[in-house]
Amino acid sequence: MKSEKYIKGILKGLNRYLTFFLVVAFAITCCMMLFVSTLIDNLGIVLTDQNVNAAAVLTFWNVLFISLIFTVIDVIRRKLTVERPVKRITDAAEKMAQGDFTVRIEPQSRFSIYGIFDRIITCFNKLAEELGSVETLRTDFIANVSHEMKTPLAVMQNYGTLLQASELSDEKRIEYAKGVADGSRRLADMMTNILKLNRLENQQIYPQTTEFDLGEQLCECLLQYENVWEKAEIEIDTDIAENVKVRADAELLSLVWNNLFSNAFKFTEAGGIVSVTLTVTDHHAIVKVRDTGCGMSPEVGTHIFEKFYQGDTSHSVQGNGLGLALVKRVMDIMQGEIGVESTLGKGTTFTVKIRRA
Ligand code: ADP
C-alpha cells in the first residue's frame, strides 16, 4: 500500500517534470533560433558543426536544470496552496460523515489570499453548524417524546396491575379503569399533536385557503367549550367585530383558537373570566384571548412556544406542551403574529394578528 503510494508519487513527479521539460525546451529553442539567426544575418557569423554541437549539449543540460527547478517550485507551491487546504477540508468532511458535527475548519489566512478555499471553508463551517443544530433538535425531540410517553405508560401499568386484584369494589374497579382510559387518551392526544406538528413542519404548500368570516369561526370554536366553562364556573365575555373576512386555511386557524381557548379555561380558576375580542385595523384582524387565571412569570413566558415545554406543572396531566408550539408554527406559515402578556397570579392575554382578505 505504502510502496504503491510511493510509486504513484514518483510517476506524478516525472509527469510534471516531463511537462516542464517540453515547455522549457520549446521556449528556449524558439528563443535561441531567433537569436542565432539574427546574429548570422546581421554580423555574418558562420557556424560550424562543432560550434552548434557544443552549444546544443550545453543548452540541453540547461533545459534539464531549469525544468528541474520549475518542477520543485511547482511541487512546493501545490503542496502549500492546494494539497494542504484540500486535505484539511477532506479530513473534516470525513469526520462529519462519521456523525461528528462539531468539526470546524480554521480559515486559511487572515488576509484571504486563498480566495476559493476560504469560501469553501466558510460554506463547510456553515453546513456543519446547520447539520449540528438539526441533529440536536432531532435528538432532543426523540428524548422528549420518549420521556413524555413514559409517564402515561407507567400510570396505565400501575392501574392495570391494581385491576388484577381479585377482590375489588365496583368503585375501585371503575376508578382504575378510568385511570387506564385517561392514560391512553393522553398518549393518543400526544401522538395526534406530534403528527400535526410534523405535518406542519414538513409541508410547504397549503392549498386549502378560502375566504371566510373570522368572527363566525371564533364563535363556533368558543361554543365547543360551553360544557367546560359551565362546569368550571367561568364567565365568558366576548366583543367580536362583524363581517371580518380573512383568507386562510380555516382548519389550521381553528387549531390556533382551540389551543388558546383550552389553555385559557385550563389555567383559570372557578369564578374567573375568559374574554375574546376581535377588532380590525386597515390591513389586519386582531384577536385577543384574555383570562384572569394563574398567569405566568416572564421566565416561563419566554419558553411557552417551545415543543414539550410546560411551565405550569400542576396542569401537566391535561396537556403535553405541544399546543403553543403548534400555534406558533401555524402563525409562521400564515405570516401572522402572536404575542403574549401575562402577570403571575393575575392573568394572561394572547394577541393574534392576521392579514385581512
Ligand atoms: P400545555 O398546555 O399542554 O402544557 P401549551 O404548549 O399549550 O402546553 O402551553 C405551554 C405552557 O404555557 C403551559 O404549560 C403553561 O405553563 C403556559 N400557558 C399557556 N397558556 C397559558 C395561560 N392562558 N395561562 C397561564 N399559562 C399558560
Side-chain angles (χ1 to χ4, degrees):
M1 194 69 186
K2 212 169 178 186
S3 63
E4 197 181 307
K5 212 173 153 191
Y6 186 65
I7 294 170
K8 264 190 191 165
I10 293 180
L11 286 177
K12 230 195 250 174
L14 278 178
N15 183 19
R16 278 184 205 154
Y17 182 65
L18 190 67
T19 312
F20 277 115
F21 176 76
L22 291 175
V23 172
V24 174
F26 179 73
I28 288 188
T29 309
C30 291
C31 294
M32 290 285 290
M33 282 172 73
L34 198 69
F35 181 71
V36 171
S37 71
T38 315
L39 278 185
I40 293 171
D41 288 351
N42 292 344
L43 302 175
I45 294 170
V46 180
L47 295 175
T48 62
D49 278 357
Q50 213 180 356
N51 293 146
V52 172
N53 282 346
V57 170
L58 189 67
T59 311
F60 176 73
W61 285 112
N62 260 338
V63 171
L64 278 185
F65 182 65
I66 293 171
S67 308
L68 188 67
I69 290 177
F70 277 1
T71 310
V72 171
I73 293 174
D74 184 54
V75 166
I76 295 172
R77 184 191 64 84
R78 267 169 185 272
K79 274 243 169 319
L80 291 179
T81 61
V82 181
E83 284 175 21
R84 209 164 66 166
V86 167
K87 186 166 179 330
R88 290 172 63 211
I89 295 169
T90 46
D91 283 353
E94 264 168 25
K95 275 191 193 163
M96 202 158 85
Q98 284 159 12
D100 178 3
F101 298 110
T102 58
V103 63
R104 298 286 182 277
I105 313 172
E106 283 286 309
Q108 286 289 103
S109 77
R110 269 192 296 146
F111 309 107
S112 208
I113 52 170
Y114 297 98
I116 189 73
F117 284 116
D118 278 339
R119 274 183 59 196
I120 295 174
I121 286 171
T122 313
C123 291
F124 180 92
N125 287 343
K126 183 106 191 74
L127 183 73
E129 201 177 306
E130 290 291 321
L131 285 174
S133 59
V134 170
E135 181 64 9
T136 316
L137 271 182
R138 195 177 68 88
T139 42
D140 278 5
F141 188 76
I142 292 172
N144 279 328
V145 171
S146 353
H147 176 78
E148 290 295 321
M149 279 175 80
K150 270 187 195 155
T151 321
L153 280 176
V155 171
M156 283 157 73
Q157 244 174 18
N158 268 344
Y159 282 121
T161 317
L162 289 171
L163 270 173
Q164 284 168 16
S166 49
E167 310 245 315
L168 265 185
S169 64
D170 272 0
E171 197 184 312
K172 282 286 168 205
R173 191 176 45 77
I174 290 169
E175 184 193 328
Y176 298 158
K178 190 172 169 301
V180 175
D182 284 351
S184 57
R185 184 188 44 74
R186 266 191 79 190
L187 271 184
D189 285 353
M190 186 173 74
M191 286 305 160
T192 314
N193 273 348
I194 289 175
L195 289 176
K196 272 185 199 159
L197 202 58
N198 190 37
R199 186 168 66 87
L200 288 180
E201 278 178 345
N202 294 311
Q203 194 174 334
Q204 298 299 332
I205 304 161
Y206 302 92
Q208 282 101 339
T209 26
T210 46
E211 193 175 308
F212 58 91
D213 191 310
L214 183 59
E216 275 176 21
Q217 189 191 40
L218 281 168
C219 292
E220 274 168 25
C221 284
L222 193 58
L223 280 173
Q224 288 172 24
Y225 292 88
E226 197 171 355
N227 283 342
V228 181
W229 79 63
E230 276 176 0
K231 205 168 148 197
E233 293 167 22
I234 292 170
E235 198 183 310
I236 294 293
D237 182 15
T238 56
D239 181 7
I240 293 177
E242 280 178 18
N243 226 359
V244 180
K245 302 277 186 216
V246 288
R247 175 167 280 282
D249 186 323
E251 198 191 319
L252 280 189
L253 207 53
S254 69
L255 214 97
V256 173
W257 314 134
N258 282 326
N259 273 298
L260 295 184
F261 295 159
S262 69
N263 275 347
F265 294 125
K266 187 161 75 180
F267 294 107
T268 304
E269 299 289 312
I273 305 171
V274 168
S275 61
V276 181
T277 59
L278 167 62
T279 49
V280 284
T281 63
D282 283 350
H283 300 293
H284 292 97
I286 296 168
V287 178
K288 282 184 192 279
V289 180
R290 189 177 288 128
D291 65 62
T292 54
C294 61
M296 56 186 122
S297 65
E299 159 69 11
V300 170
T302 54
H303 295 289
I304 54 173
F305 295 109
E306 289 169 15
K307 284 175 214 163
F308 293 109
Y309 180 80
Q310 290 188 297
D312 184 333
T313 42
S314 63
H315 290 86
S316 63
V317 284
Q318 295 171 37
N320 42 47
L322 287 173
L324 288 179
L326 270 167
V327 168
K328 180 77 177 76
R329 180 67 191 138
V330 172
M331 279 297 111
D332 289 345
I333 291 165
M334 291 181 53
Q335 293 169 344
E337 288 170 29
I338 179 157
V340 60
E341 284 166 61
S342 187
T343 314
L344 204 56
K346 290 216 165 131
T348 305
T349 305
F350 280 94
T351 306
V352 174
K353 189 171 167 188
I354 39 183
R355 205 179 274 276
R356 284 171 68 188

